[in-house]
Amino acid sequence: MLLGNLVGKPIHSVAKGTDALVDDTAKVGVEIEVRGWRSDPKDPVFNKYWTGKEDHSLKNTGREFVTNGGLVGTDLVEAISSFGTAAKASKLNTGYPYAGIHLHVDCTDLDVENGQLGRMMELYMLTEHLLFGFAGEYRRN
């Protein structure tokens, strides 16, 4: 049984063909927090995929950008590209370690009975310590 059916959420699984991603059916939401953003992007492609707002938890004109829902395939690739273009135009200062990227992966199409959900959880558990080692141990709590 698919996880989405089990919890009463719709299954998306819509391919949007691209070779740039390992899985062009994975629905992904992205949040990017930055310091030093110098302008509001006017590019309609950027605004098609992203919503930005001030983030007062970040110094130096901090902003948070969130994709407009989960994106799939070519839409995800175009969204990331448009963010990069807008960031260059803004002369972005990443503000490390005061900035971050959060990825949300929709798992509603994972088959629970086939063990796909369990394998996803195992993969996270195997990489969790590496992620905290990269991000910083202070992020663990």
Side-chain angles (χ1 to χ4, degrees):
M1 173 177 274
L2 299 181
L3 179 61
N5 292 337
L6 190 65
V7 297
K9 298 287 183 182
I11 313 293
H12 69 275
S13 293
V14 178
K16 292 197 105 177
T18 177
D19 292 333
L21 300 172
V22 172
D23 181 355
D24 65 355
T25 66
K27 191 175 194 180
V28 178
V30 182
E31 299 173 32
I32 301 177
E33 298 167 345
V34 297
R35 285 176 48 168
W37 193 272
R38 295 176 184 15
S39 64
D40 273 332
K42 304 287 188 248
D43 183 349
V45 172
F46 182 85
N47 291 302
K48 173 182 175 183
Y49 295 113
W50 297 94
T51 299
K53 65 178 185 175
E54 275 188 73
D55 186 333
H56 298 290
S57 70
L58 297 167
K59 299 176 183 177
N60 189 18
T61 62
R63 293 190 65 82
E64 177 182 41
F65 296 92
V66 179
T67 53
N68 297 323
L71 302 176
V72 180
T74 54
D75 286 343
L76 179 59
V77 172
E78 190 170 337
I80 299 297
S81 177
S82 70
F83 185 86
T85 300
K88 285 179 187 174
S90 177
K91 297 180 175 48
L92 177 64
N93 169 5
T94 59
Y96 180 84
Y98 305 105
I101 298 174
H102 308 242
L103 300 176
H104 302 266
V105 180
D106 184 346
C107 293
T108 56
D109 61 347
L110 295 181
D111 190 325
V112 176
E113 293 169 342
N114 251 357
Q116 289 180 335
L117 179 60
R119 285 193 296 279
M120 175 66 98
M121 293 169 71
E122 288 171 353
L123 178 62
Y124 175 77
M125 290 170 63
L126 288 170
T127 59
E128 182 180 31
H129 292 296
L130 289 171
L131 294 171
F132 282 116
F134 176 75
E137 281 297 320
Y138 70 96
R139 303 286 304 220
R140 189 175 294 275
N141 296 324

